Amino acid sequence: MRTLKGKYAVVTGAGKGIGAAIAKRFIEDEAAGVAILEYDYELAKRTAAEIDPSGERVLAVKCDVGSEAQVAEAIKTVVEKFGTIDILVNNAGITRDAIFHKMTDEAWHAVLNVNLNGTYYTCKYVFPIMREKCYGRIVNISSTSAFGNPGQANYAASKGAVISFTKTLAKEGGPKNVTVNCIAPGFVNTDMANEVPPEILAEQIRQIPLKRLGEPEDIASVAAFLGSDDASYVSGQCIVVSGGSR
């Protein structure tokens, strides 16, 4: 696979889990620079130092993607540091699970704000940069929960909307050589999966044909492909990475 040499990337929610694995993979694939946008700034700094001890290629930026003002400032900071943005990965996400008739308005709006509005805000400020230079790769992280999952009406709605948003933005970005795709992970071995009761998680694993949880690196591999020029004719797609369970 071609490397990401010379490319500058932004990965949201990259302090740990899937986002951190993507940032690490991008650096391994010779990206010129990666900005970690993370709500927890101390976590972002620690992860940046682990990925790039030199401190030259990974930039930690404090950003709550649910705040348009913070996103605008964060993208400004990245552009001032790197000069441009070639790849955007919208990975930041939260859950507030509850069976629907017990779900609160706060839980509904919190999840939609981070998972959907956060994706909108970053694209709002990065998409014009990519259009202007006629080059860009946007990778949005959805979820197999987008296809329906009990107790996750808010999360499923947000991730389903991300897929629709991706397909629309791909049609608009195509004429300017901006590809937009999304990845829908299944159960991945992250803190979010570890919040699932053990007996339920064990049952989920039994239903996965590959008989294991995904690892963050499994998602990072697909993100690296979609961010590379090997995927220059791939756009508007939702790639399910679930061990064959969907």
Side-chain angles (χ1 to χ4, degrees):
M1 190 179 79
R2 298 181 195 180
T3 69
L4 302 177
K5 191 171 184 177
K7 300 295 192 295
Y8 292 96
V10 169
V11 184
T12 70
K16 60 182 179 179
I18 290 172
I22 292 172
K24 183 174 184 290
R25 176 59 185 264
F26 281 7
I27 289 298
E28 292 173 347
D29 285 357
E30 303 182 76
V34 177
I36 292 176
L37 270 59
E38 173 63 54
Y39 177 83
D40 185 339
Y41 185 50
E42 293 304 316
L43 176 62
K45 289 193 294 184
R46 289 196 300 271
T47 301
E50 291 170 5
I51 295 173
D52 175 32
S54 73
E56 296 177 357
R57 295 168 60 201
V58 180
L59 175 67
V61 182
K62 179 173 175 57
C63 180
D64 174 2
V65 297
S67 164
E68 181 175 359
Q70 288 193 37
V71 170
E73 187 61 30
I75 297 305
K76 179 182 177 182
T77 298
V78 174
V79 173
E80 287 175 349
K81 172 69 174 181
F82 293 157
T84 191
I85 297 170
D86 301 293
I87 305 166
L88 168 64
V89 180
N90 283 301
N91 168 75
I94 64 170
T95 58
R96 295 287 188 274
D97 294 353
I99 202 72
F100 184 66
H101 69 274
K102 295 183 178 180
M103 184 172 290
T104 65
D105 288 350
E106 185 280 330
W108 176 268
H109 291 296
V111 169
L112 268 291
N113 189 48
V114 172
N115 299 0
L116 179 57
N117 290 348
T119 298
Y120 161 68
Y121 293 144
T122 55
C123 287
K124 177 178 179 178
Y125 290 96
V126 174
F127 193 59
I129 296 171
M130 295 178 170
R131 280 180 49 85
E132 178 66 25
K133 65 179 185 174
C134 290
Y135 183 90
R137 302 282 182 264
I138 297 175
V139 182
N140 297 321
I141 306 299
S142 180
S143 168
T144 54
S145 291
F147 311 123
N149 198 30
Q152 288 195 315
N154 49 2
Y155 188 74
S158 70
K159 293 302 188 177
V162 164
I163 295 174
S164 298
F165 177 70
T166 294
K167 290 180 176 293
T168 298
L169 208 59
K171 292 180 182 296
E172 296 185 7
K176 292 294 186 178
N177 194 32
V178 178
T179 66
V180 190
N181 294 285
C182 69
I183 302 171
F187 271 96
V188 178
N189 187 20
T190 63
D191 289 349
M192 193 176 290
N194 292 333
E195 293 174 1
V196 178
E199 64 278 9
I200 295 177
L201 188 59
E203 177 58 31
Q204 290 294 332
I205 293 173
R206 281 193 290 270
Q207 295 177 22
I208 298 172
L210 288 181
K211 301 303 178 185
R212 68 171 177 88
L213 291 176
E215 295 296 333
E217 292 75 16
D218 294 320
I219 312 306
S221 296
V222 180
F225 165 67
L226 292 175
S228 77
D229 287 338
D230 278 348
S232 63
Y233 200 58
V234 179
S235 195
Q237 302 306 304
C238 178
I239 299 177
V240 176
V241 185
S242 64
S245 62
R246 292 275 184 170

